[in-house]
Amino acid sequence: MGSFMDRAKDLVGKHDDKVDEGIEKAGDQADRRTEGKYTEQIEKGVDAAKQRTGQGDTRQ
C-alpha cells in the first residue's frame, strides 16, 4: 500500500495544475448543488485541498 501512495503523491505533485483544476470544478459543482447555501465553507475546503496537493496552489 505504501508504494501505491508514494506513486499517487508523485503524480499529484507532477500534475498539480490539473489536480487544482479538478478540485475547483468539484467545488463549483458542490456549490451549484447546494444552491450557494454553503459557498464560504466550500471555498475554504477547496483552498485547503489545493494547498495540500503538489507544491501548493498553482493559481495564486
Side-chain angles (χ1 to χ4, degrees), residues 4 14 22 35 40-41 45 47 51 59:
F4 172 76
K14 289 180 181 177
E35 298 176 351
E40 187 175 321
Q41 292 86 345
D47 290 343
Q51 299 250 338
R59 296 185 187 132

Side-chain angles (χ1 to χ4, degrees), residues 12-13 15-25 42-60:
V12 168
H15 302 284
D16 185 46
D17 56 335
K18 296 293 182 188
V19 173
D20 284 353
E21 185 178 319
I23 292 169
E24 191 72 43
K25 285 182 181 181
I42 291 168
E43 287 177 0
K44 285 181 183 179
V46 166
D47 290 343
K50 288 172 32 177
Q51 299 250 338
R52 297 184 133 242
T53 60
Q55 297 299 313
D57 189 6
T58 57
R59 296 185 187 132
Q60 297 180 3

